[in-house]
Amino acid sequence: MSLFQSILRGGFVKMKYFEKVDVELIHNKVLTANEKMIFIICYSFRNAPRGCRVSYQYLKDRTGIKDSRTITKILDRLTLFGMLARKQINKKTLHIVFDKPTMQDYILDNINMRNAQKKAYAKRKNKPVDKAKIIRLKDYLVVSKNAE
């Protein structure tokens, strides 16, 4: 049965897509297989109407990686090598770019966001202690059995 006959009978055709990959990326010994795969997945969306907007869940489903922190580490390394830059649109969606001028803006935004997160964390950790809630041990008499 030909493809055309299958479509006429109500059969579904699964389209196969491919992405051309530079040989230098394939033979790159610095990047891991997961880093290469995530780069290829993101790069395949570069011509999408709204740009490359992917979620952590999508990347986890496509690669088999279970933890979002692993995805974050991989994207950080790809950013470090200057291959892409990302900006978090909301809690789960990432906008990824590949052109150098926009990458610089996104990297600067990420640095500012992380600095603000560090300051907020330090402020929470260094919160002054309420003196009224402190129990001072020297105010209480401690009696041991050996003292008698």
Side-chain angles (χ1 to χ4, degrees):
M1 180 182 320
S2 72
L3 177 65
F4 183 70
Q5 290 171 343
S6 174
I7 293 171
L8 287 177
R9 292 187 180 178
F12 293 100
V13 177
K14 187 172 183 176
M15 298 297 294
K16 294 184 179 183
Y17 298 97
F18 64 92
E19 185 67 35
K20 289 183 180 180
V21 179
D22 194 22
V23 175
E24 292 177 7
L25 179 65
I26 294 171
H27 296 298
N28 189 329
K29 293 185 179 186
V30 177
L31 298 175
T32 65
N34 282 337
E35 291 166 348
K36 292 175 187 178
M37 184 58 63
I38 286 183
F39 177 75
I40 292 169
I41 290 169
C42 294
Y43 197 71
S44 68
F45 288 106
R46 73 191 174 282
N47 293 325
R50 292 181 6 180
C52 178
R53 293 176 185 248
V54 294
S55 66
Y56 282 105
Q57 189 60 46
Y58 179 78
L59 291 174
K60 290 191 314 189
D61 291 343
R62 290 288 304 271
T63 59
I65 296 172
K66 304 264 189 275
D67 194 6
S68 295
R69 290 176 294 189
T70 306
I71 301 286
T72 301
K73 288 177 188 175
I74 289 171
L75 291 171
D76 282 344
R77 274 184 50 90
L78 291 172
T79 302
L80 182 68
F81 291 126
M83 299 176 78
L84 57 82
R86 75 181 187 282
K87 185 177 189 179
Q88 197 155 356
I89 298 170
N90 55 32
K91 292 279 185 189
K92 297 181 181 183
T93 306
L94 302 170
H95 185 228
I96 298 175
V97 293
F98 303 96
D99 59 307
K100 300 295 181 192
T102 312
M103 286 173 65
Q104 292 301 317
D105 293 339
Y106 278 23
I107 291 169
L108 186 61
D109 285 344
N110 287 338
I111 289 171
N112 291 337
M113 181 189 66
R114 288 186 181 182
N115 286 341
Q117 287 174 343
K118 284 179 188 177
K119 286 180 184 177
Y121 178 76
K123 188 175 181 181
R124 267 194 331 261
K125 287 304 232 181
N126 295 331
K127 188 172 148 182
V129 178
D130 185 9
K131 300 276 184 183
K133 294 183 179 179
I134 296 176
I135 299 174
R136 294 177 27 185
L137 293 178
K138 67 181 185 178
D139 292 343
Y140 295 92
L141 179 61
V142 179
V143 179
S144 66
K145 291 182 181 181
N146 295 336
E148 295 174 358

